[in-house]
Amino acid sequence: MNAQPEPRTAEPRTADARTAEAPAAPQADRAAARRSLALMLLLTVAGAVLVLWATGRTWAEGGATGLGPARLTATGHDISGLPGALALVGLASSVAVFAVRRAGRLAVGALVALAGAGAAVAAVLGATDTSAVDAKAARSLALTTATADHITHTAWPWLAAAGGVLLCAAGLLTLVRGRAWPGMSSKYDAPAARARTPRRRATTPADLWNALDRGEDPTTPR
């Protein structure tokens, strides 16, 4: 009877192999954080630009008895200045992500999300508004009681609402992933914060460049 071959056991990985695989996970995490940060910036810019562009377009138009064939138009700015203002708030707040960390990023994310939601709601409410066209009819006829007739609405308010939704998504993404995003170098920190950060002695040319990048003088004694 032939002897059965003994089962082969997996050879244990050497320390060098484990050391080579160790940095893979942190590098993947950093790459994922950069991708989510880039997505947040894309959503913010696209949402803000869409809101600001749409609010500058005609949202409603109509006529008035006594004006003949002339048409009265009202832009998003005429109907409500809230969507454009909130879009600017969201755009400016997203820049602060690079200057704050941890709880500060949660606050920024909440502010951007609220600004986007507010812009979307204001745009939806303005999609059926007739007060701006009525006011223009009253001014054109010099009659405070005059109103416009045959009022029609365009699709621009809904595009503004879509931009607000994009801003809101950017804020929610900041709330979920913001803690893992890279921030500004410590050279942008306040002097007191830099003073609390321990400094390493510059022993190599690379250490000298890193110290300069942190805003430190490598020639000063520790």
Side-chain angles (χ1 to χ4, degrees), residues 4 51 60-61 90 93 101 118 126 133 173 180 183-184 213:
Q4 297 292 333
V51 172
E61 58 183 355
S93 300
R101 297 180 178 87
V133 182
L173 183 60
M184 299 174 67
D213 183 64

Side-chain angles (χ1 to χ4, degrees), residues 27-28 115 157 172 177 179-180 203:
Q27 290 178 358
L172 295 177
R177 300 297 304 273
R179 292 185 177 182
T203 57

Side-chain angles (χ1 to χ4, degrees), residues 91-122:
L91 184 61
S93 300
S94 64
V95 179
V97 167
F98 298 98
V100 296
R101 297 180 178 87
R102 297 174 184 173
R105 287 186 176 174
L106 295 179
V108 169
L111 181 59
V112 174
L114 290 175
V121 171

Side-chain angles (χ1 to χ4, degrees), residues 124-146:
V124 170
L125 294 177
T128 56
D129 187 274
T130 61
S131 60
V133 182
D134 289 336
K136 288 193 174 185
R139 288 195 299 269
S140 299
L141 297 173
L143 294 173
T144 57
T145 58

Side-chain angles (χ1 to χ4, degrees), residues 126-216:
T128 56
D129 187 274
T130 61
S131 60
V133 182
D134 289 336
K136 288 193 174 185
R139 288 195 299 269
S140 299
L141 297 173
L143 294 173
T144 57
T145 58
T147 58
D149 52 21
H150 304 293
I151 299 176
T152 58
H153 297 85
T154 66
W156 289 108
W158 301 103
L159 291 177
V165 171
L166 293 180
L167 273 175
C168 185
L172 295 177
L173 183 60
T174 303
L175 289 173
V176 175
R177 300 297 304 273
R179 292 185 177 182
W181 292 343
M184 299 174 67
S185 173
S186 60
K187 67 181 179 181
Y188 297 101
D189 293 341
R194 290 201 304 266
R196 292 192 299 268
T197 303
R199 296 185 297 175
R200 298 188 309 169
R201 182 180 298 276
T203 57
T204 65
D207 293 335
L208 292 174
W209 284 112
N210 291 333
L212 291 173
D213 183 64
R214 292 192 300 267
E216 301 174 359

